Amino acid sequence: MERLPHEFAEERAVYSYRNHESSPISDVEIKPDGVLFYTRTPKKTMDSVHIIFEAKASPNADSVSEVLGQIGVYAETVWKAQFTRKFVPVFLLHRPNLTLYIFSRSYPAVIPLGFIFHNPAIKDNVDVDEHVRTLQNLCFLLMQPSDKFGHIVDVSKDKVSCLSFGGTRKNATVTVATSGTPRAVEIDRIICQQVDVYRRVGYICDTKFEGKKAVLKLSWTPVSRIPEGAVYDVLRLNGVEGIPEIYSSGIICADFLGNRLEYIIMEH
């Protein structure tokens, strides 16, 4: 882990690596072996975590089970701190084996990447070409910009304080915006609902929209559930009173590993 380059740069993303094996990340108590942070802020806190690394040398099966629970806690902590997440990537190096865990709102996807170094204790070791392929895959993943690997928007350069939504209700788009962008949503305060390591989750944000107070809700729900925007439509068409005015809504991600991401902008 110590041999990783200090910085990873791509046209649209720059990250820096820090070792937290002995000291926790400043605003929480977790101590991952290594973390790639976005370099947009000098203070490295959970809201600037990009990727987490963990390494274990023990061959004990119980130790492996324990570390899987541990990295699940890491992923859950990232979800609580970052409302723009699509998934949380965690790399686990267990002896010579490198595995990528994708923590979405469903159960984590497990992607074996191969052997990352030669183990002299194993008689039938793989050849050098496999080690090279594993390292190439690792480098490719580390160089991906945040909106391609983990987030719904590019968060690497600036902390998200304003979003702009477009497209259609069934195929909505979202981008990072500025306060001067027409119909942009200015985020004042984020209220995170209870977040587990998986299952549905919602983020409610106090915002300003077109010069008035509004509420932005981002929700991850199973694709088997009716979209929340459609529920409000049905209630309004049936004359139900007390329904908040919906300024805009849409589905940003129709199906990511069995879950849907939807946004709603409504009156405060």
Side-chain angles (χ1 to χ4, degrees):
M1 302 294 288
E2 290 293 328
R3 293 177 179 268
L4 284 172
H6 180 66
E7 290 195 349
F8 296 89
E10 204 266 355
E11 182 181 356
R12 296 159 59 198
V14 178
Y15 313 116
S16 63
Y17 174 81
R18 290 192 181 183
N19 190 320
H20 279 279
E21 183 179 4
S22 302
S23 60
I25 299 173
S26 62
D27 57 339
V28 291
E29 294 302 317
I30 65 172
K31 297 191 292 185
D33 287 337
V35 180
L36 276 187
F37 289 97
Y38 308 116
T39 57
R40 52 179 161 77
T41 55
K43 189 174 181 180
K44 303 310 178 188
T45 55
M46 285 305 300
D47 68 347
S48 61
V49 169
H50 177 46
I51 296 173
I52 289 177
F53 296 88
E54 192 71 12
K56 298 296 177 184
S58 173
N60 190 302
D62 291 337
S63 175
V64 176
S65 299
E66 182 179 336
V67 75
L68 292 180
Q70 186 178 3
I71 64 175
V73 171
Y74 295 164
E76 179 182 338
T77 308
V78 174
W79 272 104
K80 289 178 179 178
Q82 301 180 15
F83 71 102
T84 59
R85 276 287 174 179
K86 188 174 184 178
F87 61 86
V88 179
V90 180
F91 288 92
L92 174 61
L93 179 62
H94 179 236
R95 307 186 83 188
N97 303 293
L98 182 65
T99 304
L100 169 61
Y101 289 83
I102 296 292
F103 287 89
S104 67
R105 298 316 305 166
S106 301
Y107 290 95
V110 182
I111 306 170
L113 296 178
F115 292 86
I116 200 167
F117 60 83
H118 180 79
N119 187 348
I122 302 176
K123 293 182 179 180
D124 298 326
N125 253 302
V126 294
D127 58 27
V128 174
D129 288 341
E130 181 167 342
H131 299 312
V132 172
R133 283 192 296 270
T134 301
L135 290 172
Q136 287 174 334
N137 290 335
L138 174 61
C139 288
F140 172 78
L141 294 171
L142 295 182
M143 300 299 285
Q144 295 304 298
S146 58
D147 56 334
K148 300 293 184 183
F149 196 64
H151 287 266
I152 58 173
V153 292
D154 183 6
V155 301
S156 62
K157 295 180 178 64
D158 297 292
K159 187 174 181 178
V160 177
S161 59
C162 200
L163 292 172
S164 178
F165 297 91
T168 64
R169 289 190 65 179
K170 291 184 177 180
N171 187 22
T173 59
V174 57
T175 55
V176 177
T178 62
S179 58
T181 305
R183 292 180 61 82
V185 179
E186 299 179 44
I187 300 171
D188 293 329
R189 185 169 64 101
I190 301 170
I191 304 170
C192 178
Q193 294 183 344
Q194 183 176 357
V195 178
D196 296 316
V197 68
Y198 57 90
R199 299 190 183 96
R200 64 178 298 162
V201 65
Y203 302 92
I204 299 175
C205 310
D206 286 335
T207 65
K208 292 179 181 177
F209 180 69
E210 297 188 321
K212 53 193 173 186
K213 288 185 177 181
V215 173
L216 167 65
K217 186 175 182 181
L218 291 166
S219 302
W220 281 99
T221 56
V223 295
S224 58
R225 300 287 296 270
I226 299 174
E228 188 173 349
V231 173
Y232 281 116
D233 289 342
V234 172
L235 293 174
R236 186 172 59 255
L237 290 172
N238 283 276
V240 177
E241 297 181 355
I243 304 302
E245 181 181 356
I246 306 299
Y247 302 135
S248 180
S249 67
I251 297 173
I252 299 170
C253 179
D255 188 349
F256 183 71
L257 299 178
N259 283 274
R260 174 200 305 118
L261 175 60
E262 179 183 9
Y263 85 92
I264 298 177
I265 305 171
M266 65 181 75
E267 65 176 326
H268 197 278

Coordinates of all heavy atoms in Angstrom, one line a residue, residues 95-148:
R95 N -3.6 -11.1 1.3 CA -2.4 -11.8 0.8 C -2.1 -11.4 -0.6 O -2.1 -10.2 -0.8 CB -2.6 -13.3 1.0 CG -3.0 -13.7 2.5 CD -3.1 -15.2 2.7 NE -1.8 -15.7 3.0 CZ -1.5 -17.0 3.1 NH1 -2.5 -17.9 2.9 NH2 -0.3 -17.4 3.4
P96 N -2.0 -12.3 -1.6 CA -1.7 -11.7 -2.9 C -2.9 -11.4 -3.8 O -2.8 -10.9 -4.9 CB -0.9 -12.9 -3.6 CG -1.5 -14.1 -3.0 CD -1.9 -13.7 -1.6
N97 N -4.1 -11.6 -3.2 CA -5.3 -11.4 -4.0 C -5.9 -10.0 -3.8 O -6.2 -9.6 -2.7 CB -6.4 -12.4 -3.6 CG -5.9 -13.9 -3.7 OD1 -5.7 -14.4 -4.8 ND2 -5.7 -14.5 -2.6
L98 N -6.2 -9.4 -5.0 CA -6.8 -8.0 -4.9 C -8.3 -8.2 -5.4 O -8.5 -8.7 -6.5 CB -6.0 -7.1 -5.9 CG -6.6 -5.6 -5.9 CD1 -6.4 -5.0 -4.5 CD2 -5.9 -4.8 -7.0
T99 N -9.2 -7.6 -4.6 CA -10.6 -7.7 -4.9 C -11.2 -6.3 -4.8 O -10.9 -5.6 -3.8 CB -11.3 -8.7 -4.0 OG1 -10.7 -10.0 -4.0 CG2 -12.8 -8.9 -4.3
L100 N -12.1 -6.0 -5.7 CA -12.9 -4.8 -5.7 C -14.3 -5.1 -5.2 O -15.0 -5.9 -5.7 CB -12.9 -4.1 -7.0 CG -13.9 -2.9 -7.2 CD1 -13.5 -1.8 -6.3 CD2 -13.9 -2.4 -8.6
Y101 N -14.7 -4.3 -4.1 CA -16.1 -4.4 -3.6 C -16.8 -3.2 -4.0 O -16.4 -2.1 -3.7 CB -16.1 -4.6 -2.1 CG -15.6 -6.0 -1.7 CD1 -14.2 -6.3 -1.6 CD2 -16.5 -7.0 -1.4 CE1 -13.8 -7.5 -1.2 CE2 -16.1 -8.3 -1.0 CZ -14.7 -8.5 -0.9 OH -14.3 -9.8 -0.5
I102 N -17.9 -3.3 -4.7 CA -18.8 -2.2 -5.1 C -20.0 -2.2 -4.1 O -20.9 -3.0 -4.2 CB -19.2 -2.3 -6.5 CG1 -18.1 -2.2 -7.5 CG2 -20.3 -1.2 -6.9 CD1 -17.4 -0.9 -7.5
F103 N -20.0 -1.2 -3.2 CA -21.1 -1.1 -2.3 C -22.1 -0.1 -2.9 O -22.0 1.1 -2.8 CB -20.6 -0.6 -0.9 CG -19.9 -1.6 -0.2 CD1 -18.5 -1.8 -0.3 CD2 -20.5 -2.5 0.7 CE1 -17.8 -2.7 0.4 CE2 -19.8 -3.4 1.5 CZ -18.5 -3.6 1.3
S104 N -23.2 -0.7 -3.5 CA -24.3 0.1 -4.0 C -25.4 0.1 -2.9 O -25.2 -0.4 -1.8 CB -24.8 -0.4 -5.3 OG -25.4 -1.7 -5.1
R105 N -26.6 0.4 -3.3 CA -27.7 0.3 -2.3 C -28.3 -1.1 -2.3 O -29.1 -1.4 -1.5 CB -28.9 1.3 -2.7 CG -28.5 2.7 -2.6 CD -27.7 3.1 -1.4 NE -28.3 2.7 -0.1 CZ -27.7 2.7 1.0 NH1 -26.4 3.0 1.1 NH2 -28.3 2.3 2.1
S106 N -27.7 -2.0 -3.2 CA -28.0 -3.4 -3.1 C -26.9 -4.1 -2.3 O -26.0 -3.4 -1.8 CB -28.2 -4.0 -4.5 OG -29.2 -3.4 -5.2
Y107 N -26.9 -5.4 -2.4 CA -25.8 -6.1 -1.7 C -24.5 -5.8 -2.5 O -24.5 -5.5 -3.7 CB -26.0 -7.6 -1.7 CG -27.1 -8.0 -0.8 CD1 -28.5 -8.2 -1.2 CD2 -26.9 -8.3 0.6 CE1 -29.5 -8.6 -0.4 CE2 -27.9 -8.6 1.4 CZ -29.2 -8.8 1.0 OH -30.2 -9.1 1.9
P108 N -23.3 -5.8 -1.8 CA -22.1 -5.5 -2.5 C -21.7 -6.4 -3.7 O -21.9 -7.6 -3.5 CB -21.0 -5.5 -1.4 CG -21.6 -6.4 -0.3 CD -23.1 -6.2 -0.4
A109 N -21.3 -5.9 -4.8 CA -20.8 -6.7 -5.9 C -19.3 -6.9 -5.7 O -18.6 -6.1 -5.2 CB -21.0 -5.9 -7.2
V110 N -18.9 -8.2 -5.9 CA -17.5 -8.6 -5.6 C -16.9 -8.9 -7.0 O -17.3 -9.7 -7.8 CB -17.5 -9.9 -4.8 CG1 -16.1 -10.3 -4.5 CG2 -18.3 -9.7 -3.5
I111 N -15.7 -8.2 -7.2 CA -15.0 -8.3 -8.5 C -13.6 -8.7 -8.3 O -12.8 -7.8 -7.9 CB -15.1 -6.9 -9.3 CG1 -16.5 -6.5 -9.4 CG2 -14.4 -7.1 -10.6 CD1 -16.7 -5.1 -10.0
P112 N -13.2 -9.9 -8.4 CA -11.8 -10.3 -8.3 C -11.0 -9.7 -9.4 O -11.3 -9.8 -10.5 CB -11.9 -11.9 -8.4 CG -13.3 -12.2 -8.2 CD -14.1 -11.1 -8.7
L113 N -9.9 -9.1 -9.0 CA -9.0 -8.5 -9.9 C -7.7 -9.3 -10.2 O -7.0 -9.0 -11.2 CB -8.6 -7.1 -9.5 CG -9.8 -6.0 -9.3 CD1 -9.2 -4.7 -8.8 CD2 -10.4 -5.9 -10.7
G114 N -7.5 -10.3 -9.4 CA -6.3 -11.1 -9.6 C -5.2 -11.0 -8.6 O -5.4 -10.4 -7.5
F115 N -4.1 -11.6 -8.9 CA -2.9 -11.6 -8.0 C -2.1 -10.3 -8.3 O -1.7 -10.0 -9.4 CB -2.0 -12.8 -8.3 CG -2.7 -14.1 -7.8 CD1 -3.5 -14.8 -8.7 CD2 -2.5 -14.6 -6.6 CE1 -4.1 -16.0 -8.3 CE2 -3.1 -15.8 -6.2 CZ -3.9 -16.5 -7.0
I116 N -1.8 -9.6 -7.2 CA -1.1 -8.3 -7.4 C 0.4 -8.5 -7.2 O 1.2 -7.6 -7.6 CB -1.7 -7.3 -6.5 CG1 -1.3 -5.9 -7.0 CG2 -1.2 -7.4 -5.1 CD1 -2.0 -4.7 -6.4
F117 N 0.9 -9.6 -6.6 CA 2.3 -9.8 -6.4 C 2.6 -11.3 -6.3 O 1.7 -12.1 -6.1 CB 2.9 -9.0 -5.2 CG 2.3 -9.4 -3.9 CD1 2.7 -10.5 -3.2 CD2 1.2 -8.7 -3.3 CE1 2.1 -10.9 -2.0 CE2 0.7 -9.0 -2.1 CZ 1.1 -10.1 -1.4
H118 N 3.9 -11.6 -6.5 CA 4.3 -13.0 -6.4 C 4.4 -13.5 -5.0 O 4.9 -12.8 -4.1 CB 5.7 -13.2 -7.1 CG 6.2 -14.6 -7.1 ND1 5.8 -15.5 -8.0 CD2 7.1 -15.2 -6.3 CE1 6.4 -16.6 -7.7 NE2 7.3 -16.4 -6.7
N119 N 3.8 -14.7 -4.7 CA 3.8 -15.3 -3.4 C 4.7 -16.5 -3.4 O 4.3 -17.6 -3.9 CB 2.4 -15.6 -2.9 CG 2.4 -16.1 -1.5 OD1 3.4 -16.4 -0.9 ND2 1.2 -16.2 -0.9
P120 N 5.9 -16.5 -2.9 CA 6.9 -17.6 -2.9 C 6.4 -18.8 -2.2 O 6.9 -19.9 -2.3 CB 8.2 -17.1 -2.4 CG 7.7 -15.9 -1.5 CD 6.5 -15.3 -2.2
A121 N 5.4 -18.6 -1.3 CA 4.9 -19.7 -0.5 C 3.9 -20.6 -1.3 O 3.6 -21.7 -0.9 CB 4.2 -19.2 0.8
I122 N 3.5 -20.1 -2.4 CA 2.6 -20.9 -3.3 C 3.4 -21.5 -4.4 O 4.0 -20.8 -5.2 CB 1.4 -20.0 -3.8 CG1 0.7 -19.4 -2.7 CG2 0.5 -20.8 -4.7 CD1 -0.4 -18.4 -3.1
K123 N 3.3 -22.9 -4.5 CA 4.1 -23.6 -5.5 C 3.7 -23.2 -6.9 O 4.5 -22.9 -7.8 CB 4.1 -25.1 -5.3 CG 4.7 -25.5 -4.0 CD 4.7 -27.0 -3.8 CE 5.4 -27.5 -2.6 NZ 5.3 -29.0 -2.4
D124 N 2.4 -23.3 -7.2 CA 1.9 -23.0 -8.5 C 1.5 -21.6 -8.7 O 0.3 -21.2 -8.8 CB 0.7 -23.9 -8.8 CG 1.0 -25.4 -8.7 OD1 2.1 -25.7 -9.1 OD2 0.2 -26.2 -8.3
N125 N 2.5 -20.7 -8.7 CA 2.2 -19.3 -8.8 C 1.9 -18.9 -10.2 O 2.3 -19.6 -11.2 CB 3.5 -18.5 -8.4 CG 3.3 -17.8 -7.1 OD1 2.3 -17.0 -6.9 ND2 4.1 -18.1 -6.1
V126 N 1.0 -17.9 -10.4 CA 0.7 -17.4 -11.7 C 1.8 -16.7 -12.3 O 2.8 -16.3 -11.7 CB -0.6 -16.5 -11.6 CG1 -1.8 -17.2 -11.2 CG2 -0.3 -15.3 -10.7
D127 N 1.8 -16.6 -13.7 CA 2.9 -15.9 -14.3 C 2.9 -14.4 -14.2 O 1.9 -13.8 -13.7 CB 3.0 -16.3 -15.8 CG 1.7 -16.0 -16.6 OD1 1.0 -15.0 -16.1 OD2 1.3 -16.6 -17.5
V128 N 4.0 -13.8 -14.7 CA 4.1 -12.4 -14.5 C 3.1 -11.6 -15.3 O 2.6 -10.5 -14.9 CB 5.5 -11.9 -15.0 CG1 5.7 -10.4 -15.0 CG2 6.6 -12.6 -14.1
D129 N 2.6 -12.2 -16.4 CA 1.6 -11.5 -17.2 C 0.3 -11.2 -16.4 O -0.3 -10.2 -16.6 CB 1.3 -12.3 -18.5 CG 2.4 -12.3 -19.5 OD1 3.3 -11.4 -19.4 OD2 2.4 -13.2 -20.4
E130 N -0.1 -12.2 -15.6 CA -1.3 -12.0 -14.8 C -1.1 -10.8 -13.8 O -2.0 -10.0 -13.5 CB -1.7 -13.2 -14.1 CG -3.0 -13.0 -13.2 CD -3.6 -14.3 -12.8 OE1 -3.3 -15.4 -13.3 OE2 -4.4 -14.2 -11.8
H131 N 0.1 -10.8 -13.2 CA 0.4 -9.7 -12.3 C 0.3 -8.3 -13.0 O -0.3 -7.4 -12.5 CB 1.8 -9.8 -11.7 CG 2.0 -11.0 -10.9 ND1 1.2 -11.5 -9.9 CD2 3.0 -11.9 -10.9 CE1 1.6 -12.6 -9.4 NE2 2.8 -12.9 -10.0
V132 N 0.8 -8.3 -14.2 CA 0.8 -7.0 -15.0 C -0.7 -6.7 -15.3 O -1.1 -5.5 -15.2 CB 1.6 -7.2 -16.3 CG1 1.4 -6.0 -17.2 CG2 3.1 -7.4 -16.0
R133 N -1.5 -7.7 -15.7 CA -2.9 -7.4 -16.0 C -3.6 -6.8 -14.8 O -4.4 -5.9 -14.9 CB -3.6 -8.6 -16.5 CG -3.2 -9.0 -18.0 CD -4.2 -10.1 -18.5 NE -4.0 -11.3 -17.8 CZ -3.2 -12.3 -18.1 NH1 -2.4 -12.1 -19.2 NH2 -3.1 -13.4 -17.4
T134 N -3.3 -7.4 -13.6 CA -4.0 -6.9 -12.4 C -3.6 -5.5 -12.1 O -4.5 -4.7 -11.8 CB -3.6 -7.8 -11.2 OG1 -4.0 -9.2 -11.5 CG2 -4.3 -7.4 -9.9
L135 N -2.3 -5.2 -12.2 CA -1.9 -3.8 -12.0 C -2.5 -2.8 -13.0 O -2.8 -1.7 -12.7 CB -0.4 -3.8 -12.0 CG 0.3 -4.4 -10.8 CD1 1.8 -4.5 -11.0 CD2 0.0 -3.7 -9.5
Q136 N -2.6 -3.3 -14.3 CA -3.2 -2.4 -15.3 C -4.6 -2.1 -15.0 O -5.1 -1.0 -15.1 CB -3.0 -3.1 -16.7 CG -1.6 -3.1 -17.2 CD -1.5 -3.9 -18.5 OE1 -2.3 -4.8 -18.8 NE2 -0.5 -3.6 -19.4
N137 N -5.4 -3.2 -14.6 CA -6.8 -3.0 -14.2 C -6.9 -2.0 -13.0 O -7.8 -1.1 -13.0 CB -7.4 -4.3 -13.9 CG -7.6 -5.2 -15.1 OD1 -7.7 -4.7 -16.2 ND2 -7.7 -6.5 -14.9
L138 N -6.0 -2.2 -12.0 CA -6.1 -1.3 -10.9 C -5.8 0.1 -11.3 O -6.5 1.0 -10.8 CB -5.0 -1.8 -9.8 CG -4.8 -0.9 -8.6 CD1 -6.1 -0.8 -7.8 CD2 -3.7 -1.4 -7.7
C139 N -4.8 0.3 -12.0 CA -4.4 1.7 -12.5 C -5.6 2.3 -13.3 O -5.9 3.5 -13.1 CB -3.1 1.7 -13.3 SG -1.6 1.4 -12.3
F140 N -6.2 1.5 -14.1 CA -7.3 2.1 -14.9 C -8.4 2.5 -14.0 O -9.0 3.6 -14.2 CB -7.8 1.0 -15.9 CG -9.1 1.3 -16.6 CD1 -9.0 2.2 -17.7 CD2 -10.3 0.9 -16.2 CE1 -10.2 2.6 -18.4 CE2 -11.5 1.2 -16.8 CZ -11.4 2.1 -17.9
L141 N -8.8 1.7 -13.0 CA -9.9 2.1 -12.1 C -9.5 3.3 -11.3 O -10.3 4.2 -11.0 CB -10.2 0.9 -11.2 CG -10.8 -0.3 -11.9 CD1 -10.9 -1.5 -10.9 CD2 -12.2 0.0 -12.5
L142 N -8.2 3.4 -10.8 CA -7.8 4.6 -10.0 C -7.8 5.9 -10.8 O -7.9 7.0 -10.2 CB -6.4 4.3 -9.4 CG -6.3 3.2 -8.5 CD1 -4.8 3.1 -8.0 CD2 -7.2 3.3 -7.3
M143 N -7.7 5.8 -12.1 CA -7.6 7.0 -12.9 C -9.0 7.5 -13.4 O -9.1 8.5 -14.0 CB -6.7 6.7 -14.1 CG -5.3 6.4 -13.8 SD -4.4 7.6 -12.9 CE -4.1 8.8 -14.2
Q144 N -10.1 6.8 -13.0 CA -11.4 7.2 -13.5 C -11.9 8.4 -12.8 O -11.7 8.6 -11.5 CB -12.4 6.1 -13.3 CG -12.1 4.8 -14.1 CD -12.0 5.2 -15.6 OE1 -13.0 5.6 -16.2 NE2 -10.9 4.9 -16.2
P145 N -12.5 9.4 -13.5 CA -13.1 10.6 -12.8 C -14.2 10.2 -11.9 O -14.9 9.1 -12.1 CB -13.5 11.4 -14.0 CG -13.7 10.5 -15.1 CD -12.7 9.4 -14.9
S146 N -14.5 11.0 -11.0 CA -15.5 10.7 -10.0 C -16.9 10.4 -10.5 O -17.7 9.6 -10.0 CB -15.6 11.8 -8.9 OG -15.9 13.0 -9.5
D147 N -17.3 11.1 -11.6 CA -18.7 10.9 -12.2 C -18.7 9.6 -13.0 O -19.8 9.3 -13.4 CB -19.1 12.1 -13.0 CG -18.1 12.4 -14.1 OD1 -16.9 12.1 -14.0 OD2 -18.5 13.0 -15.2
K148 N -17.6 9.0 -13.2 CA -17.6 7.7 -13.9 C -17.4 6.5 -12.9 O -17.7 5.4 -13.2 CB -16.5 7.6 -14.9 CG -16.6 8.7 -16.0 CD -17.8 8.4 -16.9 CE -17.8 9.4 -18.1 NZ -19.0 9.2 -18.9

